[in-house]
Amino acid sequence: MRIGSNPNNHKTIDLNAASHRVIIPIYIPNAEGYFKDSFAVLKVCIHSLLATVNKDTVVSLISNGSSEEVNNYIKELWSQGKIDRAVFNKENVGKMNAIIAETRASFEEFITYSDADVFFDKGWLQQTFDMFRHVPKAGFVSMNPTPRNYSHADSTLFDNLFTVLFKKRKTSDVCAFDDLAHFHKSVGQNNEFTEKMFAGTVFCVGKHLNYIIGAGHFCCTIRKTPTLRFVPKEKSYIGVSGGSESIYLDIPFDKTGLWRLSSPKACVWHMGNTLEKEWTECKLNALKEYNEKEFSFQVLPFQDVSFLAKIIPYFIRSKTSRLLKKIKILS
């Protein structure tokens, strides 16, 4: 039985005007072994994020079966108004399931996915905005240089073949060795790996900007609408990695025909699961007086699936790109 009228009937809702959302899935079940420093790393991650964004950016934190201590920290951030949404999954539903569900529930067109062990340096948001602004066909950008990282999802190289052929650069002319080495160290690679990459070449776009073709996943920003057109409806049964990023992010995005780019300089840093206290303190001190200027991703024109992606089947574009790489035209 209903008595009276709901006071919200016909009431106009004032929705948040933000156009950019950061989504961070968090899985820290305890403070032992691999996860010994993870909570401390998470706190640095969130501190650096909140210190480097403006009012156009809102934040979603997703607890994937994390410990009570971690969940209480997330709740405190939400109650203080520092984050927009807090999602608590009783069990770990997997990285891709968590971020795709939150992406579908978000109004913002630009979505940044970040691991919970990323340090956001000053200027990362401006660099992200600028990459989309200077390259209108950009659809997936990373604020960390990742030379040669277009993996198997590289059909965009075929779509823009003539642009690519005339934008080849020496890696050493585009990136700083230390920027590459820091990331490689954080994922267990040594300097020999970095030196080999540093001595190679990269494909770039953007006049005088040297935005690198190819980007990684640990911190990246996407255009939501074209990407979601190709994301599988089925849920993933993989906890993290194991090819899930390829299925739910790489290939769906590659089908859009938009550029996948990374910054020639590091604006975000992968910390890993061990907190380097001296490095961290130095970085945090540099953020104390920093205030990001106000700007909005809303001014960027909407970009949907590219024309060639609409008329040429994906398997043809993908196979042609692999063939061009095999015969050394795109290598």
Side-chain angles (χ1 to χ4, degrees):
M1 173 177 170
R2 177 184 297 165
I3 300 176
S5 178
N6 190 321
N8 286 314
N9 284 346
H10 311 297
K11 181 180 179 180
T12 301
I13 299 174
D14 184 18
L15 292 174
N16 194 313
S19 58
H20 172 235
R21 179 174 295 273
V22 178
I23 299 176
I24 303 180
I26 302 165
Y27 176 61
I28 306 177
N30 53 58
E32 303 170 2
Y34 180 88
F35 300 102
K36 182 180 178 181
D37 284 354
S38 293
F39 188 27
V41 170
L42 171 65
K43 287 182 175 180
V44 171
C45 170
I46 302 303
H47 181 98
S48 68
L49 171 62
L50 297 178
T52 54
V53 295
N54 59 23
K55 294 179 182 178
D56 186 56
T57 295
V58 290
V59 179
S60 293
L61 298 185
I62 307 171
S63 172
N64 253 345
S66 292
S67 67
E68 183 178 0
E69 183 181 30
V70 172
N71 287 342
N72 287 337
Y73 170 67
I74 297 173
K75 291 175 185 176
E76 184 179 0
L77 290 170
W78 180 83
S79 66
Q80 292 174 352
K82 293 182 178 180
I83 63 173
D84 177 60
R85 286 208 291 259
V87 179
F88 298 94
N89 294 318
K90 187 175 182 180
E91 298 179 354
N92 184 358
V93 301
K95 178 180 178 180
M96 285 295 108
N97 290 329
I99 67 173
I100 295 301
E102 182 64 4
T103 300
R104 287 177 171 143
S106 300
F107 293 105
E108 298 77 21
E109 178 62 18
F110 292 87
I111 306 289
T112 292
Y113 298 134
S114 173
D115 289 350
D117 57 357
V118 171
F119 187 96
F120 293 84
D121 218 334
K122 51 188 176 182
W124 78 271
L125 189 64
Q126 181 71 64
Q127 177 72 349
T128 303
F129 175 83
D130 286 345
M131 291 175 74
F132 283 110
R133 180 165 61 94
H134 292 308
V135 185
K137 288 182 66 176
F140 181 124
V141 307
S142 169
M143 292 62 67
N144 186 76
T146 48
R148 315 299 288 178
N149 191 1
Y150 33 81
S151 185
H152 59 281
D154 53 12
S155 74
T156 302
L157 295 178
F158 166 71
D159 296 355
N160 301 275
L161 179 60
F162 292 104
T163 301
V164 170
L165 290 178
F166 296 104
K167 292 293 184 179
K168 201 170 188 179
R169 300 283 187 272
K170 292 181 179 179
T171 306
S172 57
D173 290 339
V174 175
C175 306
F177 182 88
D178 288 347
D179 287 1
L180 298 178
H182 184 279
F183 174 69
H184 295 154
K185 179 182 177 183
S186 73
V187 293
Q189 297 285 1
N190 55 32
N191 269 2
E192 185 178 340
F193 183 87
T194 306
E195 288 165 358
K196 183 177 179 180
M197 182 173 289
F198 197 63
T201 58
V202 290
F203 294 116
C204 297
V205 296
K207 189 175 181 180
H208 308 307
L209 297 170
N210 287 334
Y211 296 148
I212 303 167
I213 295 175
H217 310 109
F218 82 87
C219 188
C220 61
T221 304
I222 67 164
R223 288 182 181 268
K224 179 184 71 175
T225 299
T227 307
L228 284 185
R229 294 189 192 284
F230 303 104
V231 173
K233 298 289 192 298
E234 300 79 15
K235 61 185 176 182
S236 170
Y237 289 92
I238 302 172
V240 63
S241 192
S244 59
E245 287 99 338
S246 177
I247 297 170
Y248 288 85
L249 192 54
D250 291 342
I251 293 176
F253 175 76
D254 197 42
K255 290 180 179 180
T256 70
L258 301 177
W259 282 118
R260 176 175 176 153
L261 307 173
S262 58
S263 169
K265 64 177 181 178
C267 300
V268 297
W269 307 87
H270 188 251
M271 293 184 284
N273 66 329
T274 303
L275 189 65
E276 298 182 38
K277 294 183 178 179
E278 185 176 344
W279 181 90
T280 301
E281 288 176 3
C282 180
K283 283 291 185 182
L284 288 174
N285 285 334
L287 294 182
K288 284 184 178 179
E289 304 299 324
Y290 184 74
N291 286 299
E292 181 57 87
K293 65 182 181 181
E294 294 299 328
F295 56 86
S296 174
F297 283 72
Q298 191 70 41
V299 302
L300 298 173
F302 177 74
Q303 183 67 255
D304 206 345
V305 178
S306 76
F307 175 72
L308 283 180
K310 290 178 179 178
I311 64 174
I312 302 177
Y314 177 67
F315 78 91
I316 293 178
R317 293 183 288 125
S318 181
K319 286 183 178 296
T320 304
S321 291
R322 288 200 293 270
L323 176 62
L324 292 173
K325 287 171 64 178
K326 189 174 182 179
I327 61 179
K328 307 300 182 182
I329 292 178
L330 293 179
S331 62

